[in-house]
PDB file of all heavy atoms in Angstrom:
ATOM      1  N   ILE A 361      51.073  -0.040  25.917  1.00  0.00           N
ATOM      2  CA  ILE A 361      50.954  -1.493  25.753  1.00  0.00           C
ATOM      3  C   ILE A 361      49.482  -1.913  25.780  1.00  0.00           C
ATOM      4  O   ILE A 361      49.014  -2.676  24.929  1.00  0.00           O
ATOM      5  CB  ILE A 361      51.744  -2.224  26.858  1.00  0.00           C
ATOM      6  CG1 ILE A 361      53.231  -1.868  26.785  1.00  0.00           C
ATOM      7  CG2 ILE A 361      51.548  -3.735  26.762  1.00  0.00           C
ATOM      8  CD1 ILE A 361      54.047  -2.428  27.930  1.00  0.00           C
ATOM      9  N   GLY A 362      48.745  -1.401  26.775  1.00  0.00           N
ATOM     10  CA  GLY A 362      47.318  -1.711  26.855  1.00  0.00           C
ATOM     11  C   GLY A 362      46.554  -1.186  25.660  1.00  0.00           C
ATOM     12  O   GLY A 362      45.648  -1.854  25.138  1.00  0.00           O
ATOM     13  N   GLN A 363      46.895   0.030  25.204  1.00  0.00           N
ATOM     14  CA  GLN A 363      46.218   0.597  24.039  1.00  0.00           C
ATOM     15  C   GLN A 363      46.462  -0.256  22.800  1.00  0.00           C
ATOM     16  O   GLN A 363      45.534  -0.480  22.008  1.00  0.00           O
ATOM     17  CB  GLN A 363      46.715   2.028  23.793  1.00  0.00           C
ATOM     18  CG  GLN A 363      46.077   2.701  22.580  1.00  0.00           C
ATOM     19  CD  GLN A 363      46.416   4.160  22.486  1.00  0.00           C
ATOM     20  OE1 GLN A 363      46.530   4.862  23.493  1.00  0.00           O
ATOM     21  NE2 GLN A 363      46.592   4.655  21.268  1.00  0.00           N
ATOM     22  N   ASP A 364      47.680  -0.741  22.629  1.00  0.00           N
ATOM     23  CA  ASP A 364      47.982  -1.564  21.453  1.00  0.00           C
ATOM     24  C   ASP A 364      47.268  -2.913  21.518  1.00  0.00           C
ATOM     25  O   ASP A 364      46.795  -3.420  20.494  1.00  0.00           O
ATOM     26  CB  ASP A 364      49.493  -1.783  21.342  1.00  0.00           C
ATOM     27  CG  ASP A 364      50.228  -0.524  20.896  1.00  0.00           C
ATOM     28  OD1 ASP A 364      49.548   0.440  20.510  1.00  0.00           O
ATOM     29  OD2 ASP A 364      51.465  -0.507  20.948  1.00  0.00           O
ATOM     30  N   ILE A 365      47.184  -3.500  22.716  1.00  0.00           N
ATOM     31  CA  ILE A 365      46.481  -4.783  22.856  1.00  0.00           C
ATOM     32  C   ILE A 365      45.005  -4.622  22.492  1.00  0.00           C
ATOM     33  O   ILE A 365      44.443  -5.404  21.719  1.00  0.00           O
ATOM     34  CB  ILE A 365      46.628  -5.326  24.292  1.00  0.00           C
ATOM     35  CG1 ILE A 365      48.084  -5.750  24.553  1.00  0.00           C
ATOM     36  CG2 ILE A 365      45.684  -6.501  24.531  1.00  0.00           C
ATOM     37  CD1 ILE A 365      48.364  -6.144  25.982  1.00  0.00           C
ATOM     38  N   LEU A 366      44.378  -3.595  23.031  1.00  0.00           N
ATOM     39  CA  LEU A 366      42.961  -3.344  22.720  1.00  0.00           C
ATOM     40  C   LEU A 366      42.788  -3.004  21.244  1.00  0.00           C
ATOM     41  O   LEU A 366      41.830  -3.454  20.603  1.00  0.00           O
ATOM     42  CB  LEU A 366      42.434  -2.207  23.593  1.00  0.00           C
ATOM     43  CG  LEU A 366      42.330  -2.488  25.090  1.00  0.00           C
ATOM     44  CD1 LEU A 366      41.957  -1.215  25.847  1.00  0.00           C
ATOM     45  CD2 LEU A 366      41.310  -3.579  25.369  1.00  0.00           C
ATOM     46  N   GLY A 367      43.710  -2.204  20.712  1.00  0.00           N
ATOM     47  CA  GLY A 367      43.605  -1.812  19.310  1.00  0.00           C
ATOM     48  C   GLY A 367      43.745  -2.982  18.365  1.00  0.00           C
ATOM     49  O   GLY A 367      42.970  -3.122  17.410  1.00  0.00           O
ATOM     50  N   ILE A 368      44.713  -3.852  18.617  1.00  0.00           N
ATOM     51  CA  ILE A 368      44.912  -5.017  17.750  1.00  0.00           C
ATOM     52  C   ILE A 368      43.704  -5.949  17.814  1.00  0.00           C
ATOM     53  O   ILE A 368      43.229  -6.455  16.784  1.00  0.00           O
ATOM     54  CB  ILE A 368      46.199  -5.761  18.154  1.00  0.00           C
ATOM     55  CG1 ILE A 368      47.428  -4.919  17.781  1.00  0.00           C
ATOM     56  CG2 ILE A 368      46.269  -7.129  17.491  1.00  0.00           C
ATOM     57  CD1 ILE A 368      48.728  -5.479  18.303  1.00  0.00           C
ATOM     58  N   ALA A 369      43.184  -6.176  19.017  1.00  0.00           N
ATOM     59  CA  ALA A 369      41.999  -7.027  19.156  1.00  0.00           C
ATOM     60  C   ALA A 369      40.811  -6.429  18.420  1.00  0.00           C
ATOM     61  O   ALA A 369      40.036  -7.149  17.759  1.00  0.00           O
ATOM     62  CB  ALA A 369      41.670  -7.210  20.639  1.00  0.00           C
ATOM     63  N   LEU A 370      40.666  -5.106  18.503  1.00  0.00           N
ATOM     64  CA  LEU A 370      39.557  -4.443  17.817  1.00  0.00           C
ATOM     65  C   LEU A 370      39.712  -4.549  16.301  1.00  0.00           C
ATOM     66  O   LEU A 370      38.742  -4.815  15.581  1.00  0.00           O
ATOM     67  CB  LEU A 370      39.501  -2.973  18.253  1.00  0.00           C
ATOM     68  CG  LEU A 370      38.419  -2.098  17.617  1.00  0.00           C
ATOM     69  CD1 LEU A 370      37.042  -2.702  17.851  1.00  0.00           C
ATOM     70  CD2 LEU A 370      38.486  -0.687  18.155  1.00  0.00           C
ATOM     71  N   ILE A 371      40.924  -4.346  15.794  1.00  0.00           N
ATOM     72  CA  ILE A 371      41.170  -4.437  14.353  1.00  0.00           C
ATOM     73  C   ILE A 371      40.859  -5.838  13.837  1.00  0.00           C
ATOM     74  O   ILE A 371      40.193  -6.010  12.803  1.00  0.00           O
ATOM     75  CB  ILE A 371      42.633  -4.057  14.040  1.00  0.00           C
ATOM     76  CG1 ILE A 371      42.859  -2.566  14.284  1.00  0.00           C
ATOM     77  CG2 ILE A 371      42.976  -4.398  12.591  1.00  0.00           C
ATOM     78  CD1 ILE A 371      44.319  -2.152  14.222  1.00  0.00           C
ATOM     79  N   ILE A 372      41.329  -6.851  14.555  1.00  0.00           N
ATOM     80  CA  ILE A 372      41.082  -8.236  14.133  1.00  0.00           C
ATOM     81  C   ILE A 372      39.588  -8.541  14.127  1.00  0.00           C
ATOM     82  O   ILE A 372      39.068  -9.183  13.208  1.00  0.00           O
ATOM     83  CB  ILE A 372      41.839  -9.209  15.059  1.00  0.00           C
ATOM     84  CG1 ILE A 372      43.349  -9.075  14.849  1.00  0.00           C
ATOM     85  CG2 ILE A 372      41.397 -10.652  14.803  1.00  0.00           C
ATOM     86  CD1 ILE A 372      44.186  -9.915  15.797  1.00  0.00           C
ATOM     87  N   THR A 373      38.882  -8.051  15.148  1.00  0.00           N
ATOM     88  CA  THR A 373      37.443  -8.303  15.223  1.00  0.00           C
ATOM     89  C   THR A 373      36.689  -7.592  14.109  1.00  0.00           C
ATOM     90  O   THR A 373      35.746  -8.149  13.530  1.00  0.00           O
ATOM     91  CB  THR A 373      36.909  -7.845  16.590  1.00  0.00           C
ATOM     92  OG1 THR A 373      37.612  -8.527  17.620  1.00  0.00           O
ATOM     93  CG2 THR A 373      35.422  -8.138  16.719  1.00  0.00           C
ATOM     94  N   VAL A 374      37.096  -6.360  13.788  1.00  0.00           N
ATOM     95  CA  VAL A 374      36.456  -5.640  12.682  1.00  0.00           C
ATOM     96  C   VAL A 374      36.623  -6.424  11.380  1.00  0.00           C
ATOM     97  O   VAL A 374      35.700  -6.490  10.557  1.00  0.00           O
ATOM     98  CB  VAL A 374      37.043  -4.212  12.554  1.00  0.00           C
ATOM     99  CG1 VAL A 374      36.612  -3.570  11.241  1.00  0.00           C
ATOM    100  CG2 VAL A 374      36.590  -3.345  13.718  1.00  0.00           C
ATOM    101  N   HIS A 375      37.784  -7.051  11.190  1.00  0.00           N
ATOM    102  CA  HIS A 375      38.004  -7.837   9.978  1.00  0.00           C
ATOM    103  C   HIS A 375      37.094  -9.057   9.913  1.00  0.00           C
ATOM    104  O   HIS A 375      36.855  -9.593   8.823  1.00  0.00           O
ATOM    105  CB  HIS A 375      39.462  -8.293   9.904  1.00  0.00           C
ATOM    106  CG  HIS A 375      40.372  -7.279   9.289  1.00  0.00           C
ATOM    107  ND1 HIS A 375      41.160  -6.443  10.025  1.00  0.00           N
ATOM    108  CD2 HIS A 375      40.608  -6.952   7.998  1.00  0.00           C
ATOM    109  CE1 HIS A 375      41.849  -5.661   9.233  1.00  0.00           C
ATOM    110  NE2 HIS A 375      41.536  -5.937   7.995  1.00  0.00           N
ATOM    111  N   GLN A 376      36.632  -9.537  11.065  1.00  0.00           N
ATOM    112  CA  GLN A 376      35.698 -10.665  11.045  1.00  0.00           C
ATOM    113  C   GLN A 376      34.278 -10.213  10.707  1.00  0.00           C
ATOM    114  O   GLN A 376      33.478 -11.004  10.212  1.00  0.00           O
ATOM    115  CB  GLN A 376      35.685 -11.379  12.407  1.00  0.00           C
ATOM    116  CG  GLN A 376      37.053 -11.749  12.936  1.00  0.00           C
ATOM    117  CD  GLN A 376      37.953 -12.348  11.882  1.00  0.00           C
ATOM    118  OE1 GLN A 376      37.590 -13.308  11.216  1.00  0.00           O
ATOM    119  NE2 GLN A 376      39.131 -11.783  11.727  1.00  0.00           N
TER     120      GLN A 376
END
Side-chain angles (χ1 to χ4, degrees):
I361 299 174
Q363 179 171 324
D364 287 351
I365 291 173
L366 293 173
I368 290 172
L370 179 56
I371 291 170
I372 292 175
T373 303
V374 168
H375 275 99
Q376 309 316 306

